[in-house]
Amino acid sequence: LKRLGTDQQIKLESGQYYDLQIPNTEITRSYSPANTANNNGEMEFLIRILDNGKFSNYLSHDAKVGQKLTVKGPTGIFGLKANGFTPRYFVAGGTGLAPVLSMVRKMKEWDEPQQCVIYFGVNTEEEIFYLDELKRLEQEMKNLTVRNCVWKATDSWHGEKGSVIDVLKRDLVETGAKPDLYLCGPPGMVDAAHAVCAEVGIPSERIYLEKFLSCGLSE
């Protein structure tokens, strides 16, 4: 999306979300952008197309280049927290990658030195996306590691095999790390990550989260 008008500034704390309204309706859906704050008026959203989803149907059948959308926001308190040089681990399920990308891109812009790991999880290889961008970001940030996790992987998949929570737990147990955790994904993934953190001794106050449902953010 591109902001119209003379004021091109996008004011955003990475991790927040916007309400996007379907033209000529009162229907809105909430999505976190993958971009950071900028003066170019540019907003980037990662939106999964769902069968019979109202916003999905709009994007699939009615959206056109040059069309105007009403966008309200930003809203929300999910975002980076200041905690010294404590490592930051980001766990994203599906399009929950968007706010994670925004936060990690902000770390890059500000040259923040904390060790940073992205755990990006999907169910099947057909659902994986943004691999080139994640690889590029990993190459540009010396403090970033990316774990692309496919739960139901075939032998042809060369990334991490297993659920994103299994891979996270493996790393936490093997390294003994006690990072800050940033979680964005479906409720089941978020709840499982909480259980792993309790098991390895990461206190709940160092877990920051955004749960979402198929139609958008839930909290």
Side-chain angles (χ1 to χ4, degrees):
L1 295 179
K2 182 78 173 180
R3 182 170 183 171
L4 301 178
T6 57
D7 180 8
Q8 297 296 298
Q9 186 178 32
I10 299 296
K11 298 179 180 179
L12 166 70
E13 289 296 329
S14 292
Q16 292 184 304
Y17 63 89
Y18 289 84
D19 294 328
L20 277 60
Q21 184 173 338
I22 299 176
N24 303 314
T25 77
E26 297 298 319
I27 298 171
T28 63
R29 292 292 182 263
S30 301
Y31 299 104
S32 294
N35 58 276
T36 58
N38 63 79
N39 294 319
N40 302 318
E42 296 176 352
M43 303 180 73
E44 176 187 6
F45 295 95
L46 310 179
I47 300 174
R48 182 181 180 184
I49 301 299
L50 300 171
D51 293 339
N52 298 317
K54 287 184 172 63
F55 207 90
S56 296
N57 286 336
Y58 159 67
L59 290 177
S60 299
H61 304 295
D62 300 319
K64 299 177 179 63
V65 175
Q67 196 171 43
K68 296 180 182 179
L69 272 72
T70 299
V71 179
K72 297 181 180 179
T75 305
I77 59 172
F78 186 49
L80 293 170
K81 311 299 180 183
N83 192 15
F85 295 105
T86 302
R88 290 168 171 162
Y89 285 16
F90 299 88
V91 184
T95 54
L97 180 65
V100 165
L101 270 176
S102 182
M103 288 187 281
V104 174
R105 285 168 168 170
K106 182 177 180 180
M107 289 182 65
K108 178 177 179 290
E109 289 177 1
W110 288 85
D111 198 24
E112 296 189 359
Q114 294 93 329
Q115 179 197 7
C116 177
V117 184
I118 295 176
Y119 294 86
F120 175 37
V122 296
N123 291 329
T124 66
E125 291 154 64
E126 290 76 19
E127 297 176 6
I128 202 82
F129 64 98
Y130 250 48
L131 293 182
D132 289 343
E133 171 62 19
L134 289 169
K135 182 177 181 180
R136 184 188 65 78
L137 196 59
E138 187 177 31
Q139 291 172 340
E140 293 176 352
M141 294 179 63
K142 294 180 180 179
N143 55 329
L144 173 62
T145 301
V146 177
R147 306 266 197 239
N148 294 311
C149 311
V150 175
W151 179 33
K152 300 175 182 178
T154 66
D155 292 339
S156 62
W157 173 248
H158 298 297
E160 298 283 356
K161 296 181 179 180
S163 78
V164 68
I165 299 302
D166 290 339
V167 177
L168 170 67
K169 180 177 179 180
R170 178 202 68 194
D171 287 357
L172 291 175
V173 171
E174 288 182 356
T175 65
K178 295 292 187 290
D180 286 344
L181 263 290
Y182 295 82
L183 314 176
C184 189
M189 185 208 82
V190 171
D191 293 344
H194 265 280
V196 167
C197 289
E199 187 176 338
V200 300
I202 296 175
S204 59
E205 59 266 25
R206 287 173 56 187
I207 303 172
Y208 311 102
L209 62 92
E210 190 84 81
K211 293 183 182 179
F212 66 74
L213 304 176
S214 60
C215 63
L217 299 169
S218 64
E219 63 179 54

